[in-house]
């Protein structure tokens, strides 16, 4: 029986090749996208799930509360790990990891050969008690228990010593990393590589005992990723509730020393530390704190992707349903005959479901091909590294089978019921007109498909426009042609000489030292008050800059002047942005005197310096457009001998690359053992919008795919209805209708549907995009022209799809179509 | 008695008016009969055949088939009844385009859930008897009209029905083909199959042992 069904299904496919291609390719494309997305979601949500005991491991993190704002850190003061373990019985083990390179490279010498290694951390001896891993060589006890010992993963061990087993006991030196120890480091153990789906991964761990600094008591400096292994029955909430007590007991002294104030004053000014725990397995998808090992994933992205996958698969199934029901008249006679010769309804349903299964199986085979084609594009968009081989895992194969079944049933069940319900008497009499049957449903489904398409088009347009707005918006400073040289604090007293040499480079017009540049997060929080009204301070951000900062970034001065070498007393002056002046509530700011409680801007003995306002600069977007411009106060770097972490170099003319080369040469002249590391200001600014940039790509990609699949369906449907009306077209042509008349007549119905879709889609898209735009303080308004554009695009695409068929029908010779009737 | 119709009425309502398709039809059919139903277009020949074949219902009257009261049976029961005892032959043949001659003939057996070996034997017999063994792998579109109708009849006979209902079986055929088909019916009837055919043609009708005339849905025998 099944054989008979398959046979007839197969012949049906061969006989109507274009129909089969449309059906299969549409379904395959939908399935391929779905597969990609499901594998993506699976990979994202399984990060760290491979770990043994992972359910009992937590990361201790904190919210640092400042007056008026708060910042959350993934790294906490280094002394907590030990204290928490000692004080709380629930904590079975604790371990710290120091990301001292901040994702930079680590230089090592082995037998006079120099190498650079990444993912190198200092870690406590207890590391492998918390992160249980497979030991390959060496012993677990020795692993990190002695100073100057290191652990490698298998890949790294093989890289340096050929064979992982030979690595044990080998020595290497680390050099020029600006850290202790200077002793040779010995490899004490080799562990199996961790899977890539971990929220952090190491190539090399060095025992934290190697560096005395890590053992010093410190409860205020944020430095260590701290992980706790709790008892099997321990409640993390209970552990969390003990943290305030631990601060009271151990950290107060440190805090009071650091901030030169009593803890009571400190907290009543609105300061505080709130420590809490993150379950290990949740870190990757939910944690986005300062000092993460890497950019973590995002749950809402997963939801959006999941939704899109569902919609795309659904749209593909809709095509199948539409084409099958549309074609039902062709199958009606067969149904009638089969029924008269004894088929039961059940048997017919089985038959049609078998057919849709055959198609969905074929589609899955094709889907694997599409999968391979779309993989690189998708990886680029999602930032993942999915591979073809991921399809071979048992889960993926199960998924493929499930997909086949779901699409087979989903796409086949409606047509199966419709077809099998035909009354033989009707269809055999030839009175049966199936064109009408299910027309409402078909129209509804087309409307549904195009509503989704229009929504996606609108989203794509709005996301794109907002991105353009953000990159072209008057930021208030010049971001082009500016190089940021990092780690210039290493220059120390050579800073001035270095800058002078930079200025001599052909094309370099301006050079400035600063503690922060636009797009960076390292503006420090600070509060200022006028000397007359110290009880009402203004909180904002601070930055330390040299005299050239304003002209290097091309900031606009509103009043007064900027720091200048002509005024030696500028170390006790400040420049503010307009917002800061407004928040301080002062008229005529120039010459007004202000004070700050911040330790490093006051005398060493704690007595307060009084600063004078000398200038006001126009507000500029030193932070991302997500946030409103906040008060910003510039202090002069001459107080710190102009030694700052960053140097910005503005280059003019076209000699950009050669200027960059010359900067590197200059750097090498001053700093021998550290690589020249740099960035571009415009890229740093753009990096703030990485999430949006991803959304932009995602929307563009998905709306393209969705529209494509919807059009495949429309094409099939148009072809079908055109064929159904071929007689009518013939008659009309004989009566004198032009090609234009015919195309218009055939397109009219579909165009109507697309218009309805637009009407449905616009409010939904408007609502969704307004929500999205709320993320930005500075945003475009979702203006009507975008919706018109989206509707127009959808109409155009749909019309093009339909007219392809319509024109073909319209220009054919009417005699032919009339004769066949 | 094979079947018995008593006071069968069938009507449709259009525009507030009741149009009768069948009016007070009484008919008794014994096993082994060959009946021709005659009448002009629209006289209700096909409707009557469909009612007899249980493909169509009726509004009033009683219909007993092999002593089963059809008018009281549930849809499913009725379907089982006609599947078991009735074979249909259509004017437009109604072969399944995507199946070969062999497969078309085999189809009713598939629905009887017969074993593959039995099916093979029966279909082979049938092909042999109708002399179309050589055409068994062809598709309907590759056959002439007469050959297609031959296949149609073979398909109707394969499940060994007691009654064959043929609705204008030669309506699409030329006279030579018609003759062959009618001869075949005659032969089948002699072998014991009950046949009821609807036809326009006096010649074809004359093959029947009994002729029933219809006009506007009512029996019109008394005028003849």
């Amino acid at each position: 029986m099944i054989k008979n069904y398959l046979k007839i299904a197969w012949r049906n496919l061969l006989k109507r090749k274009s129909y089969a291609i449309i059906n299969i390719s549409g379904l395959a494309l939908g399935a391929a996208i779905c597969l990609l997305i499901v594998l993506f979601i699976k990979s994202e949500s399984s990060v760290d799930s491979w770990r043994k005991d992972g359910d009992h491991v937590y990361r201790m993190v904190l919210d640092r509360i400042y007056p008026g704002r708060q910042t959350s850190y993934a790294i906490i003061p280094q002394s907590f790990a030990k204290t928490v373990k000692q004080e709380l019985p629930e904590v079975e083990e604790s371990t710290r990891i120091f990301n001292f390179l901040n994702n930079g490279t680590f230089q090592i010498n082995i037998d006079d050969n120099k190498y650079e290694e990444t993912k190198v951390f200092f870690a406590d001896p207890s590391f492998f008690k918390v992160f249980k891993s497979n030991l390959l060589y060496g012993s677990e006890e020795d692993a990190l228990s002695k100073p100057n010992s290191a652990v490698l993963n298998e890949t790294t061990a093989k890289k340096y010593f050929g064979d992982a087993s030979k690595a044990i006991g080998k020595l290497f030196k680390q050099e020029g990393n600006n850290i202790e120890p200077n002793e040779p480091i010995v490899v004490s153990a080799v562990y199996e590589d961790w899977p890539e789906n971990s929220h952090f991964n190491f190539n090399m761990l060095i025992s934290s005992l190697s560096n005395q600094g890590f053992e010093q008591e410190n409860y205020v400096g944020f430095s260590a990723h701290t992980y706790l292994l709790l008892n099997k029955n321990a409640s993390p909430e209970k552990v969390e509730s003990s943290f305030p007590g631990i601060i009271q007991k151990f950290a107060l002294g440190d805090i009071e020393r650091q901030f030169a104030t009593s803890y009571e004053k400190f907290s009543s000014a609105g300061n505080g530390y709130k420590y809490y725990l993150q379950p290990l397995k949740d870190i990757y998808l939910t944690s986005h704190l300062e000092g993460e090992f890497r950019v973590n994933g995002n749950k809402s992205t997963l939801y959006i992707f999941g939704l899109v996958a569902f919609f795309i698969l659904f749209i593909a199934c809709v095509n199948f349903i539409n084409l099958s029901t549309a074609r039902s008249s062709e199958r009606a006679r067969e149904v009638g005959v089969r029924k008269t010769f004894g088929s039961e309804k059940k048997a017919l349903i089985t038959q049609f479901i078998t057919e849709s299964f055959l198609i969905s199986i074929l589609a899955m085979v094709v889907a694997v091909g599409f999968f391979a084609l779309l993989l690189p594009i998708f990886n680029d968009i999602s930032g993942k590294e999915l591979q073809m081989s991921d399809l071979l895992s048992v889960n993926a194969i199960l998924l493929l089978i499930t997909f086949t079944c779901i699409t087979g049933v989903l796409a086949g069940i409606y047509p199966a019921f419709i077809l099998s319900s035909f009354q033989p008497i009707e269809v055999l009499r030839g009175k049966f007109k199936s064109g009408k049957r299910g027309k409402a449903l078909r129209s509804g489904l087309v409307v549904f498909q195009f509503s989704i398409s229009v929504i996606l088009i609108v989203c794509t347009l709005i996301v794109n426009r907002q991105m353009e707005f953000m990159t072209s918006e008057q930021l208030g400073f010049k971001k082009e042609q500016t190089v940021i040289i990092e780690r210039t604090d290493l220059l120390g007293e050579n800073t001035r000489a270095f800058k002078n040499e930079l200025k001599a480079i052909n094309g370099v017009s301006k050079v400035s030292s600063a503690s922060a540049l636009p797009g960076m997060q390292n503006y420090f929080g600070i509060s200022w008050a006028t000397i007359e009204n110290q009880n009402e301070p203004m909180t904002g951000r601070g930055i330390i800059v040299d005299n050239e900062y304003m002209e290097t970034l091309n900031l606009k001065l509103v009043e007064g002047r900027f720091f200048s070498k002509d005024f030696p007393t500028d170390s006790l002056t400040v420049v503010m942005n307009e917002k800061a002046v407004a928040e301080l509530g002062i008229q005529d700011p120039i010459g007004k005197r202000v004070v700050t409680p911040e330790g490093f801007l006051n005398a060493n003995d704690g007595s307060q310096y009084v600063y004078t306002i000398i200038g006001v600069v126009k507000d500029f977007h030193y932070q991302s457009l997500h946030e409103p411009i906040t008060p910003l106060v510039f202090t002069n770097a001459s107080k710190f001998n102009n030694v700052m972490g960053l140097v910005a170099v503005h280059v003019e003319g076209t000699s950009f690359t050669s200027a960059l080369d010359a900067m590197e040469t200059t750097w090498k002249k001053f700093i021998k053992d550290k690589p020249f590391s740099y960035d571009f200001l415009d890229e740093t600014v753009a990096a703030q919008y990485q999430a949006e940039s991803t959304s932009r790509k995602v929307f563009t990609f998905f709306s393209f795919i969705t529209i494509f699949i919807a059009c495949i369906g429309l094409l099939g449907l148009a072809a079908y209805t055109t064929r159904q009306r071929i007689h009518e077209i013939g008659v009309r042509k004989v009566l004198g209708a032009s090609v234009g008349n015919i195309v218009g007549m055939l397109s009219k119905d579909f165009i109507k549907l697309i218009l309805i879709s637009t009407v449905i889609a616009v409010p939904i898209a408007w609502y969704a995009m307004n929500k999205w735009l709320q993320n930005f303080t500075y945003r475009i308004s979702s203006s009507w022209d975008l919706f018109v554009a989206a509707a127009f695009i959808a109409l155009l695409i749909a019309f093009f799809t339909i007219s392809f068929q319509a024109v073909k029908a319209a220009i054919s010779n009417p005699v032919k179509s009339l004769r066949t009737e | 008695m094979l079947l018995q119709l008593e006071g069968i009425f069938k009507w449709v309502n259009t525009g507030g008016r009741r149009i009768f398709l069948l009016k007070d039809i009484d008919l008794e059919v014994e096993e082994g009969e060959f009946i021709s139903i005659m009448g002009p277009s629209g006289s209700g020949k096909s409707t009557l055949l469909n009612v007899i074949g249980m493909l169509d219902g009726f509004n009033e009257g009683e219909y007993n088939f092999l002593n089963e009261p059809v008018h009281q049976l549930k849809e499913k029961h009725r379907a089982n009844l006609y599947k078991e005892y009735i074979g249909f032959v259509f004017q437009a043949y109604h072969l399944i385009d995507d199946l070969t001659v062999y497969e078309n003939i085999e189809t009713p057996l598939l629905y009887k859930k017969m074993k593959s070996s039995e099916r093979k034997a029966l279909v082979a017999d049938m092909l042999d008897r109708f002399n179309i063994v050589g055409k068994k792998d062809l598709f309907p579109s590759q056959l002439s009209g007469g050959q297609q109708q031959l296949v149609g009849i073979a398909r109707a006979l394969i499940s060994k029905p007691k009654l064959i209902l043929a609705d204008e079986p030669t309506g699409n055929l030329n006279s030579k083909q018609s003759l062959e088909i009618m001869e075949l019916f005659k032969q089948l009837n002699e072998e014991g199959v009950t046949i009821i055919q609807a036809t326009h043609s006096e010649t074809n009708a004359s093959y029947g042992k009994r002729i029933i005339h219809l006009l506007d849905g009512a029996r019109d025998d008394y005028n003849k």
Side-chain angles (χ1 to χ4, degrees):
Chain A
M1 203 68 165
I2 289 285
K3 213 175 105 196
N4 185 278
Y5 293 158
L6 285 175
K7 202 153 52 187
I8 200 163
W10 181 247
R11 285 180 194 151
N12 236 313
L13 286 182
L14 289 185
K15 209 160 128 194
R16 300 169 183 86
K17 283 196 194 69
S18 56
Y19 164 79
I21 289 169
I22 285 175
N23 235 341
I24 290 174
S25 59
L27 210 52
L29 189 59
I33 295 287
C34 233
L35 262 181
L36 280 170
I37 293 178
V38 170
L39 286 182
F40 170 81
I41 292 177
K42 200 175 141 260
S43 140
E44 286 281 285
S45 55
S46 67
V47 168
D48 287 319
S49 61
W50 53 272
R51 291 187 196 277
K52 289 175 222 156
D53 282 355
D55 287 333
H56 306 292
V57 176
Y58 295 83
R59 184 167 73 176
M60 187 170 167
V61 296
L62 90 150
D63 294 335
R64 169 72 167 99
I65 301 148
Y66 301 95
R69 70 190 174 91
Q70 110 180 23
T71 311
S72 304
Y73 291 89
I75 43 179
I76 64 169
Q78 59 188 24
S79 295
F80 275 108
K82 201 186 256 173
T83 313
V84 164
K85 191 190 167 192
Q86 273 166 10
E87 293 293 310
L88 304 176
E90 294 93 342
V91 180
E92 197 168 297
E93 194 52 84
S94 67
T95 196
R96 300 172 302 168
I97 301 150
F98 295 91
N99 185 9
F100 65 104
L101 295 166
N102 205 8
N103 299 332
T105 57
F106 184 67
Q107 299 173 46
I108 55 177
N109 292 355
I110 301 174
D111 304 335
D112 297 333
N113 292 319
K114 290 182 192 246
Y115 302 96
E116 287 194 343
E117 190 51 79
T118 55
K119 296 180 189 161
V120 180
F121 308 114
F122 279 108
D124 283 349
S126 54
F127 183 87
F128 289 103
K129 291 191 180 122
V130 176
F131 296 105
K132 303 216 165 55
S133 313
N134 291 336
L135 179 76
L136 294 180
Y137 305 102
S139 81
E140 187 107 32
E141 278 81 66
D142 289 351
L144 294 162
S145 61
K146 295 193 191 92
N148 305 331
S149 63
V151 166
L152 304 181
N153 69 2
E154 194 182 0
T155 309
T156 314
K158 274 189 182 151
K159 187 165 90 185
Y160 293 121
F161 305 107
D163 185 343
S165 63
K166 289 185 187 147
I168 306 299
K170 286 278 185 347
L171 296 174
F172 61 85
K173 282 205 73 167
Q174 65 99 3
E175 233 184 53
N177 298 305
N178 228 20
I179 50 152
E180 297 290 318
N182 290 320
E183 304 295 313
I185 296 170
V186 61
V187 178
S188 59
V190 176
Y191 279 84
E192 200 173 85
D193 287 7
W194 281 4
E196 261 316 302
N197 59 346
S198 317
H199 78 281
F200 79 101
N201 209 336
F202 70 89
N203 290 331
M204 181 195 293
L205 297 174
I206 304 172
S207 169
S208 65
L209 302 175
S210 318
N211 190 320
Q212 306 266 311
F214 294 139
E215 299 310 310
Q216 282 165 11
E217 193 176 285
N218 187 336
Y219 288 98
V220 287
F222 309 142
S223 59
H225 289 271
T226 303
Y227 294 85
L228 310 180
L229 174 65
L230 301 189
N231 288 329
K232 298 264 182 292
N233 305 318
S235 125
E237 291 78 23
K238 185 159 173 276
V239 174
E240 279 176 341
S241 68
S242 322
F243 291 153
I246 287 185
I247 297 176
Q248 286 287 339
K249 195 165 163 194
F250 295 93
L252 286 200
D254 236 8
I255 295 170
E256 289 178 348
R257 255 195 311 284
Q258 173 78 18
F259 296 100
T261 171
S262 76
Y263 187 70
E264 272 159 32
K265 261 192 168 170
F266 177 74
S267 19
S268 65
N271 284 295
Y273 299 88
K274 181 174 170 273
Y275 289 90
Y276 57 98
L277 297 177
Q278 296 177 316
L280 176 69
K281 288 174 183 174
D282 293 352
I283 292 176
Y284 180 71
L285 277 184
T286 57
S287 177
H288 304 95
L289 314 182
E290 297 289 321
E292 297 281 357
F293 283 102
R294 58 161 163 152
V295 179
N296 282 338
N298 197 324
K299 254 194 180 151
S300 58
T301 312
L302 294 196
Y303 290 138
I304 293 176
F305 274 40
L307 202 65
V308 166
F310 176 77
F311 276 136
I312 286 183
L313 191 65
F314 195 77
I315 286 178
C317 286
V318 163
N319 281 350
F320 190 103
I321 295 170
N322 270 352
L323 287 174
S324 308
T325 52
R327 273 195 55 228
S328 60
S329 68
E330 282 171 37
R331 304 298 296 275
R333 205 172 58 95
E334 180 188 335
V335 171
V337 173
R338 283 183 184 273
K339 276 197 161 179
T340 359
F341 284 95
S343 173
E344 285 170 19
K345 197 170 169 174
K346 218 164 42 188
L348 280 165
I349 291 174
T350 320
Q351 178 185 348
F352 289 113
I353 299 252
T354 312
E355 264 185 44
S356 79
F357 259 87
L358 180 74
I359 291 181
S360 68
I361 288 167
L362 288 173
M364 287 311 139
V365 175
V366 180
V368 173
F370 281 146
F371 182 87
L373 281 175
L374 291 171
L375 197 61
I377 307 173
F378 185 80
N379 278 341
D380 178 46
I381 290 169
S382 64
K384 271 266 151 185
E385 284 181 16
L386 297 177
Q387 277 157 4
M388 213 43 213
S389 56
D390 290 344
L391 270 186
L392 293 177
S393 71
V394 183
N395 282 335
I397 289 170
L398 272 177
L399 188 74
L400 259 176
I401 294 170
T402 322
F403 259 171
T404 314
C405 295
I406 291 176
T407 49
V409 171
L410 202 64
I413 201 137
Y414 178 76
F417 273 95
I418 285 287
L419 285 168
S420 64
S421 69
F422 290 160
Q423 286 306 311
I425 179 77
E426 267 179 74
V427 291
L428 294 182
R429 240 189 225 149
K431 285 180 182 168
F432 179 74
K433 278 269 180 288
S434 82
K436 298 275 178 286
R437 195 178 274 256
K439 195 175 173 208
L441 178 94
R442 277 203 295 284
S443 306
L445 290 176
V446 167
V447 166
F448 175 77
Q449 284 184 319
F450 272 84
S451 298
I452 291 176
S453 302
V454 172
I455 290 172
L456 280 173
I457 297 174
V458 171
C459 293
T460 309
L461 290 177
I462 289 187
V463 172
N464 273 298
R465 185 177 277 194
Q466 174 69 17
M467 287 300 285
E468 256 160 50
F469 169 77
M470 287 190 299
T471 40
S472 66
E473 153 82 351
Q474 295 305 310
L475 295 172
F477 61 92
K478 206 164 166 18
K479 63 181 190 309
E480 289 79 18
Q481 301 263 75
T482 303
V483 180
I484 305 169
I485 303 176
E486 289 156 357
R487 307 183 70 177
T488 50
D489 47 323
L490 297 171
L491 291 158
E493 56 192 9
N494 290 328
T495 303
R496 180 189 293 270
F498 176 71
K499 275 158 62 178
N500 283 337
E501 289 216 13
L502 288 181
K503 273 180 209 158
I505 294 170
N506 188 23
V508 170
S509 60
K510 281 143 200 154
V511 178
S512 166
S513 293
S515 66
L517 283 162
M520 296 182 171
Q521 294 305 312
N522 52 347
Y523 295 85
F524 49 85
I526 194 167
S527 71
W528 288 90
T530 55
I531 199 151
E532 297 83 14
N533 195 2
Q534 292 197 38
N535 291 329
E536 283 177 38
M538 164 276 295
T539 55
R541 296 297 190 111
I543 177 174
I544 304 165
V545 301
D546 69 3
N547 301 336
E548 286 84 30
Y549 192 77
M550 187 179 81
E551 52 181 17
T552 306
L553 287 184
N554 205 8
L555 305 178
K556 298 277 168 295
L557 195 66
V558 181
E559 265 184 273
R561 61 174 181 85
F562 203 71
F563 305 123
S564 160
K565 65 178 186 326
D566 304 333
F567 295 83
T569 55
D570 269 358
S571 62
L572 282 179
T573 59
V574 292
V575 174
M576 294 183 171
N577 67 356
E578 293 168 304
K579 182 77 183 164
V581 174
E583 294 242 327
L584 275 174
I586 42 178
Q587 316 291 325
D588 283 332
I590 306 301
K592 289 278 176 349
R593 290 179 302 163
V594 288
V595 290
T596 176
E598 198 66 44
F600 72 93
L601 289 176
N602 287 312
N604 288 336
D605 62 7
S607 62
Q608 243 176 5
Y609 288 146
V610 175
Y611 288 81
T612 311
I613 302 173
I614 54 163
V616 178
V617 292
K618 199 167 166 43
D619 284 342
F620 66 104
H621 289 283
Y622 66 98
Q623 288 168 310
S624 82
L625 294 165
H626 295 115
E627 296 154 48
I629 295 174
T630 48
L632 180 66
V633 178
F634 300 80
T635 40
N636 197 324
S638 61
K639 189 170 154 58
F640 308 95
N641 295 322
N642 287 324
V643 180
M644 289 288 117
L646 303 163
V647 166
V649 183
H650 185 69
V651 181
E652 260 167 23
T654 48
S655 52
F656 200 69
T657 36
S658 64
L660 196 58
D661 286 342
M663 285 179 221
E664 180 161 14
T665 315
T666 313
W667 173 270
K668 292 248 165 80
K669 215 189 284 179
F670 284 89
I671 308 281
K672 302 256 174 333
D673 56 354
K674 288 276 179 179
F676 173 65
S677 80
Y678 66 93
D679 223 322
F680 300 106
L681 185 57
D682 48 358
E683 285 178 11
T684 308
V685 170
Q688 301 175 102
Y689 311 113
Q690 211 187 348
E692 287 76 25
S693 162
T694 306
S695 308
R696 175 193 211 171
K697 286 191 216 157
V698 166
F699 277 125
T700 312
F701 180 69
F702 285 144
S703 56
F704 179 78
I705 297 276
T706 311
I707 293 166
F708 187 73
I709 296 178
C711 281
I712 285 179
L714 197 61
L715 182 75
L717 217 49
Y720 176 75
T721 43
T722 308
R723 195 140 43 100
Q724 272 218 320
R725 296 173 78 172
I726 201 85
H727 180 71
E728 181 191 345
I729 294 167
V731 173
R732 282 177 188 270
K733 278 195 83 171
V734 170
L735 295 177
S738 69
V739 172
N741 294 147
I742 303 280
V743 173
M745 175 191 87
L746 290 171
S747 312
K748 202 179 67 196
D749 285 353
F750 286 112
I751 298 301
K752 227 188 286 168
L753 295 182
I754 309 299
L755 283 175
I756 296 173
S757 312
T758 316
V759 171
I760 294 173
V762 163
I764 300 173
W766 184 84
Y767 176 78
M769 287 329 280
N770 262 355
K771 267 256 149 89
W772 184 78
L773 285 171
Q774 299 296 319
N775 288 327
F776 302 90
T777 311
Y778 301 90
R779 56 180 178 254
I780 56 164
S781 56
S782 40
S783 58
W784 59 272
D785 59 316
L786 282 173
F787 294 96
V788 173
F792 190 71
I793 290 172
L795 275 175
L796 204 68
I797 294 173
F799 182 73
F800 184 76
T801 311
I802 300 158
S803 61
F804 180 72
Q805 286 297 328
V807 168
K808 211 169 87 183
I811 57 177
S812 66
N813 188 348
V815 177
K816 237 193 219 161
S817 60
L818 291 179
R819 195 167 44 207
T820 57
E821 277 298 304
Chain B
M1 181 90 62
L2 180 67
L3 63 91
Q4 183 188 32
L5 301 180
E6 254 184 52
I8 297 290
F9 281 88
K10 183 173 173 62
W11 63 75
V12 288
N13 295 320
T14 34
R17 281 175 46 221
R18 179 168 286 184
I19 296 172
F20 285 90
L21 302 177
L22 294 176
K23 239 185 285 178
D24 195 18
I25 302 283
D26 293 326
L27 179 64
E28 286 182 11
V29 179
E30 299 288 341
E31 280 193 49
E33 277 201 273
F34 189 163
I35 298 175
S36 297
I37 304 176
M38 280 203 73
S41 291
S43 61
K45 300 188 296 290
S46 295
T47 312
L48 181 56
L49 273 188
N50 286 332
V51 166
I52 295 173
M54 298 173 220
L55 295 177
D56 213 350
F58 48 90
N59 300 89
E60 232 181 81
E62 285 185 17
Y63 174 16
N64 295 300
F65 187 90
L66 288 173
N67 298 325
E68 296 247 27
V70 175
H71 50 280
Q72 287 169 9
L73 293 178
K74 290 248 166 63
E75 157 89 31
K76 194 163 178 176
H77 238 89
R78 247 193 341 245
N80 284 339
L81 207 59
Y82 78 71
K83 276 176 207 167
E84 176 96 32
Y85 298 109
I86 303 179
F88 295 88
V89 176
F90 304 99
Q91 175 178 2
Y93 330 126
H94 287 328
L95 301 178
I96 296 176
D97 296 334
D98 293 326
L99 295 182
T100 61
V101 166
Y102 182 98
E103 290 157 357
N104 262 295
I105 297 175
E106 187 191 25
T107 306
L109 301 181
L110 287 172
Y111 292 123
K112 289 197 156 174
K113 306 203 164 51
M114 200 176 271
K115 274 195 219 120
S116 160
S117 53
E118 280 179 68
R119 288 202 309 262
K120 260 188 196 148
L122 282 174
V123 176
D125 260 8
M126 199 56 77
L127 289 167
D128 209 26
R129 177 170 171 194
F130 284 52
N131 230 346
I132 45 176
V133 179
K135 303 204 160 41
K136 74 176 168 60
D137 291 325
L138 296 182
F139 287 95
S141 56
Q142 295 163 301
L143 300 175
S144 74
Q147 287 165 339
Q148 288 191 48
Q149 192 58 296
L150 223 49
V151 176
I153 296 171
R155 183 179 59 180
L157 283 175
I158 192 83
S159 53
K160 301 208 167 68
K162 280 189 182 298
L163 173 65
I164 292 254
L165 295 175
D167 191 358
E168 305 254 10
T170 60
N172 287 6
L173 302 178
N174 62 33
S175 55
K176 183 168 169 280
Q177 291 167 331
S178 296
L179 189 71
E180 281 170 15
I181 295 295
M182 289 322 294
E183 285 298 328
L184 178 62
F185 274 140
K186 192 174 157 196
Q187 191 192 332
L188 288 173
N189 180 243
E190 279 160 12
E191 288 168 17
V193 182
T194 315
I195 296 172
I196 305 179
Q197 66 159 341
T199 181
H200 277 306
S201 137
E202 294 276 354
T203 334
N204 289 349
S206 65
Y207 279 86
K209 292 175 184 165
R210 179 146 74 102
I211 296 178
I212 293 166
H213 292 271
L214 284 185
L215 187 66
D216 297 333
R219 284 189 68 165
D220 193 28
D221 303 323
Y222 319 104
N223 302 334
K224 296 283 156 183

